[in-house]
Amino acid sequence: MYQTILVDKKGGVATVTLNRPQALNAMDLVMREELRLAFIDIERDDEVRVVVLTGNGKAFCAGGDLSTMGTWTPNSARKRMRNVHHLYKAIANSDKIFIAAINGHATGSGLSLACACDFRVAVDVAKIGTPFINVGLVPDCGIMYTLPRLIGLAKTKEMTMLGQTITAQQAMDLGLFTKLVEPEQLAAAVEELAQDICKRSYIALALNKSIVNRTFELSLDALMDCEAYAQDTCFASDAHKDAIAAIMAKQKK
């Protein structure tokens, strides 16, 4: 069905694998469109609770395909960016929980893709970089929104303005990754995390994600209003009622 990605659904988890290993999974126009279609399909699938994004080969994603750059006019480039932004918004706005399984180097808009996810599990040999400035560009695909929230403003400026590449351990120390593992441990670590998430209340997770993603834009009063409405929904959910009933039954024993 797809030329540049692989999609596998199993046990509430949809795994989307970037599949251009010969190009270090750089995103060309075909891959971007296929990711858009895959995300739409996954969002409509009520059986899917967790989405895992990963890469085939030795890289997670090397960013945008350089062969598609260099000839854009200002207006066409702006349209190109608007067209790709929906991928990152789809992740941020989804009720599904996204895990980036970073199997290798994640640079440029590939790192943007990882930063848009809710969790990031990476191999310890990965390299992380924001080389946009090295080709005369600003960081794109939402990373100037997500990266400061993950590692802070000063470190974001250092990485993006100097076009730095850092090690996986340095990224872990900055708080960018949820977990760092050896390459042979990646699949098991991601599966364990995905299944842990699948066991939890879908509605509570979705509302949690929605509020936390907006926390820096909301006033305290606005956030508490969101919290109250979200908790009202959660209190009425079967997941909450079943959990309380189970706890009460255990206490009576």
Side-chain angles (χ1 to χ4, degrees), residues 72-93:
W72 294 86
T73 65
N75 285 336
S76 62
R78 186 169 183 270
K79 182 178 180 181
R80 168 193 171 106
M81 291 311 308
R82 294 286 191 185
N83 187 49
V84 75
H85 283 165
H86 59 74
L87 294 179
Y88 301 84
K89 291 180 181 179
I91 296 172
N93 295 332

Side-chain angles (χ1 to χ4, degrees), residues 104-193:
H105 298 352
T107 58
S109 55
L111 182 58
S112 302
L113 191 66
C115 287
C117 294
D118 304 296
F119 297 92
R120 284 156 296 281
V121 180
V123 296
D124 54 11
V125 294
K127 297 290 186 181
I128 309 302
T130 53
F132 301 93
I133 192 68
N134 298 337
V135 289
L137 299 174
V138 298
D140 61 24
C141 296
I143 199 169
M144 285 197 282
Y145 180 90
T146 56
L147 196 58
R149 286 161 171 76
L150 292 169
I151 68 172
L153 190 62
K155 282 298 180 182
T156 296
K157 287 182 178 180
E158 186 178 332
M159 279 191 67
T160 58
M161 292 182 178
L162 301 180
Q164 288 184 339
T165 297
I166 62 175
T167 66
Q169 185 61 58
Q170 287 173 316
M172 183 71 184
D173 293 342
L174 288 172
L176 184 59
F177 295 151
T178 308
K179 190 172 185 178
L180 199 62
V181 298
E182 295 178 1
E184 61 271 18
Q185 299 172 332
L186 181 63
V190 171
E191 176 66 16
E192 181 180 7
L193 177 58

Side-chain angles (χ1 to χ4, degrees), residues 49-67:
R49 305 285 300 279
V50 175
V51 183
V52 174
L53 297 182
T54 193
N56 184 17
K58 62 182 181 180
F60 174 74
C61 178
D65 190 331
L66 294 179
S67 68

Side-chain angles (χ1 to χ4, degrees), residues 185-250:
Q185 299 172 332
L186 181 63
V190 171
E191 176 66 16
E192 181 180 7
L193 177 58
Q195 291 306 318
D196 186 11
I197 293 169
C198 285
K199 295 175 184 176
R200 301 175 186 275
S201 167
Y202 181 83
I203 186 64
L205 285 169
L207 291 169
N208 186 327
K209 174 178 176 174
S210 175
I211 296 171
V212 169
N213 279 354
R214 294 184 291 156
T215 188
F216 291 105
E217 287 73 51
L218 296 175
S219 66
L220 177 60
D221 286 344
L223 187 143
M224 286 186 166
D225 281 342
C226 291
E227 174 192 288
Y229 282 110
Q231 204 69 306
D232 187 53
T233 300
C234 289
F235 271 126
S237 69
D238 289 339
H240 171 68
K241 294 176 182 178
D242 291 345
I244 295 300
I247 292 171
M248 298 302 291
K250 186 175 181 180

